Amino acid sequence: MAAPAANMKIDADRLWDSLMDMAKIGPGVAGGNNRQTLTDEDSEGRHLFQNWCKAAGMTMGLDTMGNMFARREGTDPDALPVYVGSHLDTQPTGGKYDGVLGVLSGLELIRTLNDLNVKTKHPIVLTNWTNEEGTRYAPAMLSSGVFAGIHDEQWAYDREDAEGKKFGDELQRIGWRGEEAVGDRKMHAFFELHIEQGPILEAEGIDVGVVTHGQGLSWMQLTIEGRDAHTGSTPMPMRRNAGLSMARVLELVDEIALSHAPDAVGAAGHIDVYPNSRNVIPGKVVFTVDFRSPNLSTIEDMEARLKVGAQKICDDMGLTVEFEKVGGFDPVEFDEGCVTAVRSAAERLGYTHRNLVSGAGHDACWINRVAPTAMVMCPCVDGLSHNEEEEISKDWAAAGTNVLFHAVVETAEIVG
Ligand code: HGY
Ligand code: MN
Ligand code: MN
């Protein structure tokens, strides 16, 4: 397939301006963003994105999970489209680039094709996947997961947030529940640009990550119950302290992950303590253990040791424990052809690059089940993400977007 000329480049300033404009919606408290899925801020960001897509001459689609699809026509309307995109929802203390760079780099790619009046055989479709983060509604990558047939749509609609609000009701409330059946769309290929969210590219001075694999994930939710009691008048031997058991389980989580170093990580980011009162011994804790590894057998070993170890801790303390798997996916190997398109684009454009295994999960991990898929990564400062101080440089954003642009356009086949 004819590759774009090496001098075909995106407009880095326009991309950066769009990133900064989107960052104004759902601002955090420390320079980042709190634009959680299905909130009014998410809706405001969707409207801005939709207006930009329409201004770029694209036609909009919306499915029953709120996934947004903006289409630029190809010369062959019957050719399966090349999809590109990521997510606009953020963590509660999120950065300006996680997900957003992947959506707005796709928009910049379209704007550049329009500027250059370049036509492609395959249509190009730009996507915003609903609820990638999984922070308000577990699991992560929920809507790309329904699209890929991993999750049942009604099960997704019934997911509840901490206030008991259902996903389907909130999607309806913000007015972004479409009519198009989720998953009906067929793809020629899917590409996603994402910040690395880790330290490797910056530390090695590399411009672009060619993502060959994604590590797998396990989210195991534990509910441990003891008994609420007075922190002052209850003798130590009489206590059934669920908070103490959680501390012991979290030490075990760290020990299990480190036993598989360097190919495993583990922590708990979601922790609820009840009744969470200064002078009440916690009678109940609910927390989610997040294990990850590029090796499925490692993930399975970590899950098994967590269950045995946590059960023993609770038995010894006279507490009950329940386990619920609330999220997970196996390690991912991306499509060789699409990965090659990314690598040759980086070479053609003269960017330093290296193969990378994604430490974080992405919508591409599920879309890889239903279409040839690959990812591009750019460095981020100190490898920091899921933190309002998340930062990238305009040059890093431009390099990643240029590589995405070339990989997508080569795959969509330039005409004329
Ligand atoms: O959890 C993840 O890896 C992604 O940020 N949702
Ligand atoms: Mn992300
Ligand atoms: Mn994220």
Side-chain angles (χ1 to χ4, degrees), residues 86-87 98-99 132-133 192 194 197 361-362 386:
S86 190
H87 62 93
D98 173 358
E132 187 280 340
E133 290 295 356
E192 179 172 4
H194 206 288
Q197 299 180 297
H362 303 285
H386 285 195

Side-chain angles (χ1 to χ4, degrees), residues 90-406:
T90 75
Q91 288 284 334
T93 55
K96 299 190 282 285
Y97 312 98
D98 173 358
V100 183
L101 177 63
V103 177
L104 300 188
S105 57
L107 176 62
E108 177 50 36
L109 174 164
I110 298 295
R111 287 169 166 170
T112 302
L113 288 174
N114 292 344
D115 291 347
L116 299 173
N117 194 24
V118 167
K119 298 202 180 339
T120 57
K121 173 190 173 195
H122 296 262
I124 295 173
V125 176
L126 172 54
T127 306
N128 168 34
W129 298 108
T130 304
N131 188 38
E132 187 280 340
E133 290 295 356
T135 182
R136 184 180 177 197
Y137 293 100
M141 299 108 74
L142 179 60
S143 303
S144 51
V146 174
F147 183 93
I150 310 296
H151 304 306
D152 167 74
E153 182 170 70
Q154 191 53 53
W155 177 82
Y157 280 175
D158 290 339
R159 309 299 289 157
E160 291 186 3
D161 67 5
E163 293 166 13
K165 292 177 182 171
K166 287 188 188 298
F167 180 97
D169 297 342
E170 283 293 276
L171 181 62
Q172 191 73 41
R173 179 186 68 80
I174 66 167
W176 285 97
R177 182 170 166 171
E179 297 301 320
E180 178 187 315
V182 59
D184 277 0
R185 288 172 175 260
K186 300 305 169 210
M187 302 178 177
H188 181 56
F190 176 72
F191 291 91
E192 179 172 4
L193 166 62
H194 206 288
I195 60 171
E196 180 194 342
Q197 299 180 297
I200 297 169
L201 294 176
E202 183 189 38
E204 296 182 7
I206 302 272
D207 301 321
V208 173
V210 180
V211 185
T212 57
H213 298 76
Q215 67 174 351
L217 170 152
S218 160
W219 278 0
M220 188 68 74
Q221 181 172 290
L222 282 77
T223 301
I224 298 178
E225 304 215 43
R227 183 173 59 190
D228 295 358
H230 198 297
T231 49
S233 53
T234 310
M236 292 300 276
M238 287 176 62
R239 296 178 179 209
R240 288 166 52 203
N241 185 340
L244 177 59
S245 72
M246 177 176 68
R248 290 176 177 168
V249 170
L250 295 186
E251 276 291 343
L252 174 66
V253 166
D254 208 51
E255 189 186 301
I256 291 171
L258 288 173
S259 73
H260 286 284
D263 291 333
V265 290
H270 153 241
I271 295 177
D272 289 323
V273 179
Y274 301 92
N276 201 24
S277 166
R278 288 177 184 77
N279 45 10
V280 177
I281 298 163
K284 178 178 174 183
V285 291
V286 182
F287 57 104
T288 303
V289 173
D290 178 324
F291 277 135
R292 310 213 188 184
S293 171
N295 312 311
L296 182 56
S297 59
T298 300
I299 293 173
E300 289 165 344
D301 174 68
M302 294 196 287
E303 282 183 346
R305 286 164 60 187
L306 169 66
K307 282 189 170 175
V308 168
Q311 188 68 59
K312 180 165 184 342
I313 287 167
C314 292
D315 291 349
D316 292 352
M317 294 177 66
L319 308 177
T320 63
V321 57
E322 284 172 22
F323 301 90
E324 182 190 355
K325 186 85 176 277
V326 294
F329 56 86
D330 293 354
V332 170
E333 181 170 10
F334 290 112
D335 174 79
E336 194 176 337
C338 291
V339 171
T340 302
V342 170
R343 187 177 297 112
S344 48
E347 280 161 4
R348 184 164 59 241
L349 291 161
Y351 292 123
T352 54
H353 57 86
R354 56 117 69 211
N355 289 352
L356 207 56
V357 175
S358 174
H362 303 285
D363 294 307
C365 296
W366 282 143
I367 302 307
N368 188 55
R369 298 284 186 94
V370 293
T373 296
M375 292 188 74
V376 185
M377 281 193 174
C378 77
C380 52
V381 175
D382 299 336
L384 187 65
S385 183
H386 285 195
N387 182 307
E388 291 204 44
E389 292 178 25
E390 179 186 278
E391 197 50 77
I392 64 173
S393 73
K394 189 186 294 187
D395 289 347
W396 287 345
T401 304
N402 277 320
V403 169
L404 179 79
F405 172 50
H406 276 241

